[in-house]
Amino acid sequence: MASNDLSRRRFLRGGFLASLQSQQIKQQGPRAIRPPWAVNESDFTTACTRCGDCIQVCETQILIKGEGGFPEVSFARGECTFCQQCVDVCRQPIFRSTEEIPWSHKVEILDGCLTKRQVECRSCGDSCEMRAIRFIPTFGKVAQIALNTDNCNGCGACIQSCPVSAIVVIYPEDEE
Ligand code: SF4
Ligand code: SF4
Ligand code: SF4
């Protein structure tokens, strides 16, 4: 990649990180993303003591004290590696079996994606270990982004990598 392309991407990324953070906080609002494998919201907030142990052990430091002091995920800080340390450290019965899927959310690509504006970008695809994001060669356009939600495990790696905050978390009920 040309060095001026890299510089531009870094500039864009730096310029948008602050807005990404505030946008994410707004998105989460009352629907905070609990740590992976958390039980339902009501049972979680009933039994969680807000001790902060999970926040301390999270290897990517994506867990923060959210509203009411309950832990929630901030994908603006990074991705979930599914290391399970938050589950293992917790002394309350508020996590499901790690044999189950960790959570039901996925991501969605918004119209602000650079490829939809004919600007070459593959940041999210590079960060997606699940290969849920591909770029389709398209005649007369830059390669267009394509998300396969079946492959998405909701890790959030792509969210932080996007220079224009064009990736957001969606919940199954939003798609109905
Ligand atoms: S599974 Fe690991 S990376 Fe993910 S929230 Fe828990 S401690 Fe953090
Ligand atoms: S959330 Fe994770 S698995 Fe899903 S598209 Fe983004 S990087 Fe890939
Ligand atoms: S969603 Fe963001 S990171 Fe992915 S191609 Fe579009 S602009 Fe780039």
Short mmCIF file of all heavy atoms in Angstrom, two decimals, residues 67-129:
data_model
loop_
_atom_site.label_atom_id
_atom_site.label_comp_id
_atom_site.label_asym_id
_atom_site.label_seq_id
_atom_site.Cartn_x
_atom_site.Cartn_y
_atom_site.Cartn_z
N GLU A 67 -23.48 2.03 32.94
CA GLU A 67 -24.53 2.63 33.75
C GLU A 67 -24.83 1.75 34.96
O GLU A 67 -24.94 0.52 34.85
CB GLU A 67 -25.79 2.81 32.90
CG GLU A 67 -26.79 3.75 33.52
CD GLU A 67 -27.90 4.10 32.54
OE1 GLU A 67 -27.67 4.02 31.32
OE2 GLU A 67 -28.99 4.41 33.01
N GLY A 68 -24.94 2.37 36.12
CA GLY A 68 -25.23 1.63 37.35
C GLY A 68 -24.05 0.84 37.88
O GLY A 68 -24.19 0.10 38.85
N GLY A 69 -22.90 0.97 37.22
CA GLY A 69 -21.71 0.25 37.67
C GLY A 69 -21.61 -1.16 37.12
O GLY A 69 -20.68 -1.90 37.46
N PHE A 70 -22.56 -1.55 36.27
CA PHE A 70 -22.52 -2.89 35.69
C PHE A 70 -21.54 -2.94 34.52
O PHE A 70 -21.42 -1.98 33.77
CB PHE A 70 -23.92 -3.31 35.20
CG PHE A 70 -24.92 -3.46 36.30
CD1 PHE A 70 -25.90 -2.49 36.51
CD2 PHE A 70 -24.87 -4.56 37.15
CE1 PHE A 70 -26.82 -2.62 37.54
CE2 PHE A 70 -25.79 -4.70 38.18
CZ PHE A 70 -26.76 -3.72 38.38
N PRO A 71 -20.86 -4.08 34.36
CA PRO A 71 -19.90 -4.19 33.27
C PRO A 71 -20.57 -4.26 31.91
O PRO A 71 -21.60 -4.93 31.76
CB PRO A 71 -19.16 -5.50 33.58
CG PRO A 71 -20.16 -6.32 34.33
CD PRO A 71 -20.97 -5.34 35.15
N GLU A 72 -20.01 -3.58 30.96
CA GLU A 72 -20.49 -3.68 29.59
C GLU A 72 -19.32 -3.58 28.63
O GLU A 72 -18.24 -3.10 28.98
CB GLU A 72 -21.55 -2.62 29.29
CG GLU A 72 -21.08 -1.19 29.39
CD GLU A 72 -22.22 -0.21 29.16
OE1 GLU A 72 -23.25 -0.30 29.89
OE2 GLU A 72 -22.09 0.65 28.28
N VAL A 73 -19.57 -4.03 27.43
CA VAL A 73 -18.51 -4.05 26.41
C VAL A 73 -18.48 -2.73 25.66
O VAL A 73 -19.52 -2.19 25.28
CB VAL A 73 -18.78 -5.20 25.40
CG1 VAL A 73 -17.80 -5.12 24.23
CG2 VAL A 73 -18.69 -6.55 26.10
N SER A 74 -17.28 -2.21 25.46
CA SER A 74 -17.09 -1.06 24.58
C SER A 74 -16.19 -1.49 23.43
O SER A 74 -14.98 -1.63 23.59
CB SER A 74 -16.44 0.09 25.34
OG SER A 74 -16.08 1.10 24.40
N PHE A 75 -16.81 -1.71 22.27
CA PHE A 75 -16.02 -2.12 21.11
C PHE A 75 -15.18 -0.97 20.56
O PHE A 75 -14.36 -1.19 19.67
CB PHE A 75 -16.93 -2.69 20.02
CG PHE A 75 -17.45 -4.07 20.33
CD1 PHE A 75 -18.81 -4.35 20.27
CD2 PHE A 75 -16.59 -5.09 20.68
CE1 PHE A 75 -19.29 -5.62 20.55
CE2 PHE A 75 -17.06 -6.37 20.97
CZ PHE A 75 -18.41 -6.64 20.90
N ALA A 76 -15.40 0.23 21.05
CA ALA A 76 -14.53 1.34 20.66
C ALA A 76 -13.12 1.12 21.21
O ALA A 76 -12.16 1.73 20.74
CB ALA A 76 -15.09 2.65 21.17
N ARG A 77 -13.00 0.25 22.21
CA ARG A 77 -11.69 0.00 22.82
C ARG A 77 -10.98 -1.21 22.22
O ARG A 77 -9.79 -1.40 22.44
CB ARG A 77 -11.88 -0.25 24.33
CG ARG A 77 -12.46 0.95 25.06
CD ARG A 77 -12.97 0.55 26.43
NE ARG A 77 -11.93 0.12 27.34
CZ ARG A 77 -11.31 0.89 28.21
NH1 ARG A 77 -11.63 2.16 28.31
NH2 ARG A 77 -10.38 0.41 29.01
N GLY A 78 -11.70 -2.03 21.51
CA GLY A 78 -11.06 -3.21 20.93
C GLY A 78 -12.06 -4.33 20.72
O GLY A 78 -13.27 -4.12 20.71
N GLU A 79 -11.54 -5.52 20.62
CA GLU A 79 -12.38 -6.68 20.29
C GLU A 79 -12.41 -7.69 21.43
O GLU A 79 -11.54 -7.69 22.30
CB GLU A 79 -11.81 -7.38 19.06
CG GLU A 79 -10.50 -8.08 19.35
CD GLU A 79 -9.75 -8.47 18.10
OE1 GLU A 79 -8.95 -7.64 17.62
OE2 GLU A 79 -9.96 -9.59 17.62
N CYS A 80 -13.38 -8.55 21.37
CA CYS A 80 -13.44 -9.68 22.30
C CYS A 80 -12.72 -10.87 21.67
O CYS A 80 -13.00 -11.23 20.53
CB CYS A 80 -14.88 -10.04 22.60
SG CYS A 80 -15.03 -11.44 23.74
N THR A 81 -11.80 -11.44 22.41
CA THR A 81 -11.06 -12.61 21.91
C THR A 81 -11.71 -13.91 22.37
O THR A 81 -11.20 -14.98 22.07
CB THR A 81 -9.62 -12.59 22.43
OG1 THR A 81 -9.67 -12.61 23.87
CG2 THR A 81 -8.87 -11.35 21.96
N PHE A 82 -12.77 -13.79 23.15
CA PHE A 82 -13.46 -14.96 23.72
C PHE A 82 -12.52 -15.80 24.59
O PHE A 82 -12.59 -17.02 24.60
CB PHE A 82 -14.10 -15.81 22.60
CG PHE A 82 -15.04 -15.00 21.72
CD1 PHE A 82 -14.69 -14.65 20.43
CD2 PHE A 82 -16.25 -14.57 22.23
CE1 PHE A 82 -15.54 -13.87 19.65
CE2 PHE A 82 -17.11 -13.79 21.46
CZ PHE A 82 -16.75 -13.44 20.16
N CYS A 83 -11.66 -15.10 25.30
CA CYS A 83 -10.69 -15.79 26.16
C CYS A 83 -11.37 -16.43 27.38
O CYS A 83 -10.76 -17.25 28.06
CB CYS A 83 -9.62 -14.80 26.63
SG CYS A 83 -10.23 -13.54 27.78
N GLN A 84 -12.58 -16.00 27.69
CA GLN A 84 -13.39 -16.56 28.79
C GLN A 84 -12.91 -16.15 30.19
O GLN A 84 -13.41 -16.66 31.19
CB GLN A 84 -13.48 -18.09 28.71
CG GLN A 84 -14.03 -18.57 27.39
CD GLN A 84 -14.19 -20.09 27.32
OE1 GLN A 84 -14.05 -20.78 28.32
NE2 GLN A 84 -14.49 -20.60 26.15
N GLN A 85 -11.94 -15.26 30.27
CA GLN A 85 -11.43 -14.90 31.59
C GLN A 85 -12.48 -14.18 32.43
O GLN A 85 -12.51 -14.33 33.66
CB GLN A 85 -10.17 -14.04 31.45
CG GLN A 85 -8.99 -14.83 30.91
CD GLN A 85 -7.71 -14.04 30.90
OE1 GLN A 85 -7.21 -13.62 31.94
NE2 GLN A 85 -7.18 -13.81 29.72
N CYS A 86 -13.34 -13.41 31.77
CA CYS A 86 -14.41 -12.73 32.51
C CYS A 86 -15.37 -13.75 33.11
O CYS A 86 -15.84 -13.60 34.25
CB CYS A 86 -15.15 -11.75 31.60
SG CYS A 86 -15.70 -12.45 30.03
N VAL A 87 -15.64 -14.80 32.35
CA VAL A 87 -16.53 -15.86 32.84
C VAL A 87 -15.88 -16.59 34.01
O VAL A 87 -16.51 -16.82 35.04
CB VAL A 87 -16.83 -16.87 31.70
CG1 VAL A 87 -17.77 -17.96 32.18
CG2 VAL A 87 -17.40 -16.16 30.49
N ASP A 88 -14.62 -16.94 33.84
CA ASP A 88 -13.93 -17.74 34.86
C ASP A 88 -13.76 -17.00 36.18
O ASP A 88 -13.81 -17.62 37.25
CB ASP A 88 -12.54 -18.16 34.34
CG ASP A 88 -12.64 -19.13 33.17
OD1 ASP A 88 -13.71 -19.72 33.00
OD2 ASP A 88 -11.65 -19.25 32.43
N VAL A 89 -13.56 -15.71 36.13
CA VAL A 89 -13.29 -14.97 37.37
C VAL A 89 -14.56 -14.65 38.16
O VAL A 89 -14.50 -14.43 39.38
CB VAL A 89 -12.52 -13.66 37.05
CG1 VAL A 89 -13.48 -12.59 36.50
CG2 VAL A 89 -11.78 -13.15 38.27
N CYS A 90 -15.69 -14.69 37.49
CA CYS A 90 -16.93 -14.24 38.14
C CYS A 90 -17.44 -15.27 39.14
O CYS A 90 -17.52 -16.47 38.85
CB CYS A 90 -17.99 -13.97 37.07
SG CYS A 90 -19.54 -13.37 37.79
N ARG A 91 -17.80 -14.79 40.32
CA ARG A 91 -18.28 -15.70 41.38
C ARG A 91 -19.79 -15.79 41.45
O ARG A 91 -20.34 -16.47 42.30
CB ARG A 91 -17.73 -15.22 42.74
CG ARG A 91 -16.24 -15.41 42.89
CD ARG A 91 -15.65 -14.55 43.99
NE ARG A 91 -15.55 -13.15 43.56
CZ ARG A 91 -15.10 -12.16 44.32
NH1 ARG A 91 -14.74 -12.40 45.55
NH2 ARG A 91 -15.05 -10.93 43.85
N GLN A 92 -20.46 -15.08 40.56
CA GLN A 92 -21.93 -15.10 40.56
C GLN A 92 -22.45 -16.00 39.43
O GLN A 92 -21.77 -16.19 38.42
CB GLN A 92 -22.46 -13.67 40.36
CG GLN A 92 -22.03 -12.70 41.43
CD GLN A 92 -22.42 -13.15 42.82
OE1 GLN A 92 -23.55 -13.57 43.04
NE2 GLN A 92 -21.49 -13.07 43.77
N PRO A 93 -23.67 -16.50 39.59
CA PRO A 93 -24.24 -17.40 38.56
C PRO A 93 -24.84 -16.63 37.40
O PRO A 93 -26.03 -16.75 37.10
CB PRO A 93 -25.31 -18.16 39.34
CG PRO A 93 -25.80 -17.15 40.33
CD PRO A 93 -24.60 -16.32 40.73
N ILE A 94 -24.04 -15.84 36.74
CA ILE A 94 -24.60 -14.96 35.71
C ILE A 94 -23.99 -15.21 34.33
O ILE A 94 -24.12 -14.39 33.43
CB ILE A 94 -24.44 -13.48 36.08
CG1 ILE A 94 -23.00 -13.15 36.48
CG2 ILE A 94 -25.41 -13.10 37.18
CD1 ILE A 94 -22.77 -11.69 36.75
N PHE A 95 -23.35 -16.37 34.19
CA PHE A 95 -22.85 -16.73 32.86
C PHE A 95 -23.38 -18.09 32.46
O PHE A 95 -23.51 -19.00 33.28
CB PHE A 95 -21.31 -16.75 32.85
CG PHE A 95 -20.71 -15.37 32.88
CD1 PHE A 95 -20.34 -14.79 34.09
CD2 PHE A 95 -20.57 -14.65 31.71
CE1 PHE A 95 -19.81 -13.50 34.11
CE2 PHE A 95 -20.04 -13.36 31.73
CZ PHE A 95 -19.66 -12.79 32.93
N ARG A 96 -23.69 -18.21 31.17
CA ARG A 96 -24.14 -19.48 30.62
C ARG A 96 -22.93 -20.37 30.32
O ARG A 96 -21.78 -19.92 30.45
CB ARG A 96 -24.91 -19.22 29.31
CG ARG A 96 -26.21 -18.46 29.50
CD ARG A 96 -26.86 -18.10 28.15
NE ARG A 96 -26.14 -17.03 27.47
CZ ARG A 96 -25.43 -17.17 26.36
NH1 ARG A 96 -25.32 -18.35 25.78
NH2 ARG A 96 -24.81 -16.14 25.80
N SER A 97 -23.20 -21.57 29.87
CA SER A 97 -22.11 -22.47 29.49
C SER A 97 -21.35 -21.88 28.30
O SER A 97 -21.96 -21.36 27.35
CB SER A 97 -22.69 -23.83 29.09
OG SER A 97 -21.72 -24.57 28.38
N THR A 98 -20.04 -21.98 28.34
CA THR A 98 -19.24 -21.48 27.22
C THR A 98 -19.29 -22.43 26.03
O THR A 98 -18.64 -22.19 25.01
CB THR A 98 -17.79 -21.23 27.66
OG1 THR A 98 -17.28 -22.42 28.26
CG2 THR A 98 -17.70 -20.07 28.63
N GLU A 99 -20.06 -23.51 26.17
CA GLU A 99 -20.31 -24.38 25.01
C GLU A 99 -21.34 -23.73 24.09
O GLU A 99 -21.47 -24.09 22.93
CB GLU A 99 -20.87 -25.74 25.47
CG GLU A 99 -19.96 -26.52 26.39
CD GLU A 99 -18.73 -27.05 25.66
OE1 GLU A 99 -18.92 -27.69 24.61
OE2 GLU A 99 -17.62 -26.79 26.13
N GLU A 100 -22.10 -22.78 24.65
CA GLU A 100 -23.13 -22.10 23.86
C GLU A 100 -22.50 -20.93 23.09
O GLU A 100 -21.36 -20.54 23.37
CB GLU A 100 -24.24 -21.59 24.78
CG GLU A 100 -24.95 -22.70 25.53
CD GLU A 100 -26.01 -22.15 26.48
OE1 GLU A 100 -26.39 -20.97 26.36
OE2 GLU A 100 -26.45 -22.91 27.35
N ILE A 101 -23.28 -20.35 22.17
CA ILE A 101 -22.74 -19.17 21.48
C ILE A 101 -22.64 -18.03 22.49
O ILE A 101 -23.47 -17.91 23.40
CB ILE A 101 -23.58 -18.75 20.26
CG1 ILE A 101 -25.01 -18.39 20.67
CG2 ILE A 101 -23.57 -19.82 19.20
CD1 ILE A 101 -25.74 -17.60 19.59
N PRO A 102 -21.62 -17.19 22.37
CA PRO A 102 -21.39 -16.17 23.39
C PRO A 102 -22.46 -15.09 23.44
O PRO A 102 -22.77 -14.58 24.52
CB PRO A 102 -20.02 -15.58 23.02
CG PRO A 102 -19.79 -15.98 21.60
CD PRO A 102 -20.54 -17.25 21.36
N TRP A 103 -22.99 -14.73 22.30
CA TRP A 103 -24.03 -13.68 22.28
C TRP A 103 -24.70 -13.70 20.93
O TRP A 103 -24.25 -14.40 20.01
CB TRP A 103 -23.47 -12.30 22.61
CG TRP A 103 -22.15 -11.97 22.01
CD1 TRP A 103 -21.69 -12.36 20.78
CD2 TRP A 103 -21.08 -11.22 22.62
NE1 TRP A 103 -20.42 -11.87 20.58
CE2 TRP A 103 -20.03 -11.16 21.68
CE3 TRP A 103 -20.92 -10.54 23.83
CZ2 TRP A 103 -18.83 -10.50 21.94
CZ3 TRP A 103 -19.73 -9.88 24.08
CH2 TRP A 103 -18.70 -9.86 23.16
N SER A 104 -25.79 -12.94 20.80
CA SER A 104 -26.58 -13.03 19.57
C SER A 104 -26.39 -11.84 18.64
O SER A 104 -26.88 -11.87 17.52
CB SER A 104 -28.07 -13.15 19.92
OG SER A 104 -28.48 -12.01 20.65
N HIS A 105 -25.68 -10.81 19.10
CA HIS A 105 -25.55 -9.65 18.21
C HIS A 105 -24.60 -9.93 17.06
O HIS A 105 -23.76 -10.82 17.13
CB HIS A 105 -25.10 -8.40 19.00
CG HIS A 105 -23.70 -8.47 19.48
ND1 HIS A 105 -23.36 -8.62 20.81
CD2 HIS A 105 -22.51 -8.42 18.83
CE1 HIS A 105 -22.05 -8.66 20.93
NE2 HIS A 105 -21.51 -8.54 19.74
N LYS A 106 -24.78 -9.16 16.02
CA LYS A 106 -23.90 -9.20 14.83
C LYS A 106 -23.52 -7.76 14.53
O LYS A 106 -23.76 -6.87 15.34
CB LYS A 106 -24.65 -9.79 13.64
CG LYS A 106 -25.33 -11.12 13.91
CD LYS A 106 -24.48 -12.26 13.52
CE LYS A 106 -25.20 -13.59 13.70
NZ LYS A 106 -24.34 -14.73 13.39
N VAL A 107 -22.97 -7.55 13.35
CA VAL A 107 -22.71 -6.16 12.96
C VAL A 107 -23.41 -5.87 11.64
O VAL A 107 -23.84 -6.78 10.93
CB VAL A 107 -21.20 -5.87 12.83
CG1 VAL A 107 -20.50 -6.03 14.16
CG2 VAL A 107 -20.55 -6.71 11.74
N GLU A 108 -23.49 -4.57 11.36
CA GLU A 108 -24.11 -4.11 10.12
C GLU A 108 -23.21 -3.03 9.52
O GLU A 108 -22.62 -2.23 10.27
CB GLU A 108 -25.49 -3.52 10.45
CG GLU A 108 -26.23 -3.00 9.25
CD GLU A 108 -27.62 -2.50 9.66
OE1 GLU A 108 -27.70 -1.66 10.58
OE2 GLU A 108 -28.60 -2.95 9.07
N ILE A 109 -23.12 -3.02 8.21
CA ILE A 109 -22.32 -2.00 7.52
C ILE A 109 -23.25 -0.87 7.08
O ILE A 109 -24.24 -1.10 6.38
CB ILE A 109 -21.63 -2.59 6.26
CG1 ILE A 109 -20.92 -3.90 6.58
CG2 ILE A 109 -20.68 -1.55 5.65
CD1 ILE A 109 -19.75 -3.82 7.49
N LEU A 110 -22.94 0.32 7.50
CA LEU A 110 -23.78 1.47 7.15
C LEU A 110 -23.37 2.06 5.79
O LEU A 110 -22.30 1.76 5.25
CB LEU A 110 -23.66 2.55 8.24
CG LEU A 110 -24.02 2.11 9.66
CD1 LEU A 110 -23.84 3.27 10.64
CD2 LEU A 110 -25.46 1.59 9.71
N ASP A 111 -24.23 2.95 5.28
CA ASP A 111 -23.96 3.54 3.97
C ASP A 111 -22.72 4.42 3.96
O ASP A 111 -22.22 4.78 2.91
CB ASP A 111 -25.18 4.39 3.52
CG ASP A 111 -26.34 3.49 3.11
OD1 ASP A 111 -26.10 2.29 2.86
OD2 ASP A 111 -27.48 4.00 3.06
N GLY A 112 -22.24 4.77 5.14
CA GLY A 112 -21.02 5.60 5.20
C GLY A 112 -19.75 4.86 4.83
O GLY A 112 -18.69 5.48 4.70
N CYS A 113 -19.85 3.56 4.64
CA CYS A 113 -18.65 2.77 4.26
C CYS A 113 -17.98 3.41 3.05
O CYS A 113 -18.63 3.73 2.05
CB CYS A 113 -19.07 1.34 3.93
SG CYS A 113 -17.78 0.39 3.14
N LEU A 114 -16.69 3.53 3.13
CA LEU A 114 -15.94 4.20 2.06
C LEU A 114 -16.11 3.52 0.71
O LEU A 114 -16.13 4.18 -0.33
CB LEU A 114 -14.45 4.28 2.44
CG LEU A 114 -14.13 5.20 3.62
CD1 LEU A 114 -12.66 5.08 4.01
CD2 LEU A 114 -14.48 6.65 3.30
N THR A 115 -16.23 2.19 0.70
CA THR A 115 -16.35 1.50 -0.60
C THR A 115 -17.63 1.89 -1.32
O THR A 115 -17.71 1.84 -2.53
CB THR A 115 -16.29 -0.04 -0.45
OG1 THR A 115 -17.50 -0.52 0.14
CG2 THR A 115 -15.09 -0.48 0.35
N LYS A 116 -18.64 2.28 -0.54
CA LYS A 116 -19.89 2.69 -1.16
C LYS A 116 -19.79 4.11 -1.71
O LYS A 116 -20.69 4.60 -2.38
CB LYS A 116 -21.04 2.59 -0.15
CG LYS A 116 -21.23 1.15 0.34
CD LYS A 116 -22.39 1.00 1.30
CE LYS A 116 -22.47 -0.42 1.83
NZ LYS A 116 -23.63 -0.71 2.64
N ARG A 117 -18.68 4.76 -1.35
CA ARG A 117 -18.41 6.11 -1.88
C ARG A 117 -17.24 6.09 -2.85
O ARG A 117 -16.60 7.09 -3.08
CB ARG A 117 -18.12 7.06 -0.72
CG ARG A 117 -19.30 7.14 0.23
CD ARG A 117 -18.98 7.96 1.46
NE ARG A 117 -20.17 8.01 2.30
CZ ARG A 117 -20.40 8.95 3.20
NH1 ARG A 117 -19.50 9.90 3.40
NH2 ARG A 117 -21.50 8.94 3.91
N GLN A 118 -16.95 4.91 -3.32
CA GLN A 118 -15.89 4.69 -4.32
C GLN A 118 -14.50 5.06 -3.81
O GLN A 118 -13.67 5.59 -4.53
CB GLN A 118 -16.21 5.44 -5.63
CG GLN A 118 -17.58 5.14 -6.21
CD GLN A 118 -17.93 3.64 -6.12
OE1 GLN A 118 -17.12 2.78 -6.38
NE2 GLN A 118 -19.15 3.36 -5.69
N VAL A 119 -14.29 4.80 -2.52
CA VAL A 119 -12.96 4.98 -1.93
C VAL A 119 -12.48 3.61 -1.47
O VAL A 119 -13.21 2.91 -0.75
CB VAL A 119 -13.00 5.95 -0.73
CG1 VAL A 119 -11.60 6.06 -0.09
CG2 VAL A 119 -13.51 7.32 -1.15
N GLU A 120 -11.31 3.23 -1.91
CA GLU A 120 -10.76 1.91 -1.56
C GLU A 120 -10.51 1.82 -0.06
O GLU A 120 -9.89 2.70 0.54
CB GLU A 120 -9.44 1.72 -2.32
CG GLU A 120 -8.76 0.40 -2.12
CD GLU A 120 -9.42 -0.73 -2.91
OE1 GLU A 120 -9.95 -0.47 -4.01
OE2 GLU A 120 -9.39 -1.85 -2.41
N CYS A 121 -11.00 0.76 0.55
CA CYS A 121 -10.75 0.52 1.98
C CYS A 121 -11.04 -0.95 2.26
O CYS A 121 -12.03 -1.48 1.77
CB CYS A 121 -11.64 1.40 2.85
SG CYS A 121 -11.40 1.08 4.62
N ARG A 122 -10.15 -1.57 3.04
CA ARG A 122 -10.39 -2.98 3.43
C ARG A 122 -10.02 -3.21 4.89
O ARG A 122 -9.75 -4.35 5.29
CB ARG A 122 -9.56 -3.90 2.52
CG ARG A 122 -9.95 -3.76 1.06
CD ARG A 122 -9.35 -4.83 0.19
NE ARG A 122 -9.75 -4.58 -1.19
CZ ARG A 122 -9.94 -5.50 -2.11
NH1 ARG A 122 -9.78 -6.78 -1.78
NH2 ARG A 122 -10.30 -5.19 -3.33
N SER A 123 -10.03 -2.16 5.66
CA SER A 123 -9.61 -2.26 7.07
C SER A 123 -10.38 -3.32 7.83
O SER A 123 -9.81 -4.14 8.54
CB SER A 123 -9.79 -0.93 7.79
OG SER A 123 -8.92 0.02 7.27
N CYS A 124 -11.69 -3.30 7.69
CA CYS A 124 -12.50 -4.24 8.48
C CYS A 124 -12.25 -5.67 8.06
O CYS A 124 -12.17 -6.57 8.90
CB CYS A 124 -13.98 -3.88 8.38
SG CYS A 124 -14.57 -3.77 6.68
N GLY A 125 -12.11 -5.88 6.76
CA GLY A 125 -11.86 -7.23 6.28
C GLY A 125 -10.54 -7.76 6.81
O GLY A 125 -10.43 -8.94 7.17
N ASP A 126 -9.55 -6.89 6.87
CA ASP A 126 -8.24 -7.31 7.38
C ASP A 126 -8.32 -7.73 8.85
O ASP A 126 -7.53 -8.54 9.31
CB ASP A 126 -7.22 -6.17 7.25
CG ASP A 126 -6.88 -5.88 5.79
OD1 ASP A 126 -7.18 -6.74 4.94
OD2 ASP A 126 -6.32 -4.80 5.52
N SER A 127 -9.25 -7.15 9.59
CA SER A 127 -9.31 -7.43 11.03
C SER A 127 -10.28 -8.57 11.37
O SER A 127 -10.35 -9.01 12.51
CB SER A 127 -9.72 -6.17 11.80
OG SER A 127 -11.03 -5.79 11.43
N CYS A 128 -11.00 -9.06 10.39
CA CYS A 128 -12.02 -10.08 10.66
C CYS A 128 -11.46 -11.49 10.51
O CYS A 128 -11.29 -11.99 9.39
CB CYS A 128 -13.22 -9.90 9.73
SG CYS A 128 -14.50 -11.15 10.01
N GLU A 129 -11.24 -12.13 11.64
CA GLU A 129 -10.68 -13.50 11.60
C GLU A 129 -11.69 -14.51 11.09
O GLU A 129 -11.32 -15.59 10.63
CB GLU A 129 -10.20 -13.91 13.00
CG GLU A 129 -8.97 -13.17 13.44
CD GLU A 129 -8.42 -13.69 14.75
OE1 GLU A 129 -8.97 -14.67 15.28
OE2 GLU A 129 -7.45 -13.09 15.23
#
